[in-house]
Amino acid sequence: MDEKPRMQPRARPRIEVDYPATFTTDQLSGSGTLKNLTIAGAEIQSQADLAIGSRLSLSIHTSGARPPIMVTVAVVRWKQSDRFGLEFVGFDGRSKQQLEDLLNPHDSSSPR
């Protein structure tokens, strides 16, 4: 059964993207396409059948020659048809900074 709870207003707007992603749970591995993204989570389109509350690790393959962004722990918060929403809980190494840089490219300018 598809369940999508009422969404709370977001502190930051979601950025529309089209990034390939791979993920792994205790029971399965899968792939999909990230459709939107924030520092706190994402919406992914995939044929994988994940239950709400499932924990997974996620590798986000951004454009260019950048290394993948590694989310060590993400939790499925909602699902509807072939899409589900993830909350990011833990990152690997510099991945959180990579994601912040990707989402806020103009914030990294240094003063002259």
Side-chain angles (χ1 to χ4, degrees), residues 6-7 11 17 23 38 46 51 54 80 87 95 102-103 112:
R6 265 190 19 214
M7 301 298 267
V17 296
F23 52 87
T38 70
S46 174
S54 295
Q80 184 175 30
E87 176 186 2
S95 287
L102 178 70
L103 295 172
R112 294 180 198 249

Side-chain angles (χ1 to χ4, degrees), residues 100-110:
E100 288 175 348
D101 292 347
L102 178 70
L103 295 172
N104 303 303
H106 305 293
D107 289 352
S108 62
S109 60
S110 58

Side-chain angles (χ1 to χ4, degrees), residues 16-18 32 38 50 54 58 70 81 86 104:
E16 297 296 319
V17 296
D18 192 28
T38 70
L50 297 175
S54 295
L58 178 72
M70 304 301 294
S81 186
L86 297 175
N104 303 303

Side-chain angles (χ1 to χ4, degrees), residues 19-25 28-34 44-50 56-59 61 82 84:
Y19 295 145
T22 54
F23 52 87
T24 305
T25 70
L28 64 90
S29 294
S31 62
T33 304
L34 261 64
I44 188 168
Q45 183 175 21
S46 174
Q47 296 303 312
D49 187 21
L50 297 175
L56 55 91
S57 60
L58 178 72
S59 179
H61 306 277
D82 65 344
F84 51 91

Side-chain angles (χ1 to χ4, degrees), residues 18-20 60-67 69 102:
D18 192 28
Y19 295 145
I60 303 168
H61 306 277
T62 60
S63 56
R66 296 182 191 133
I69 296 171
L102 178 70

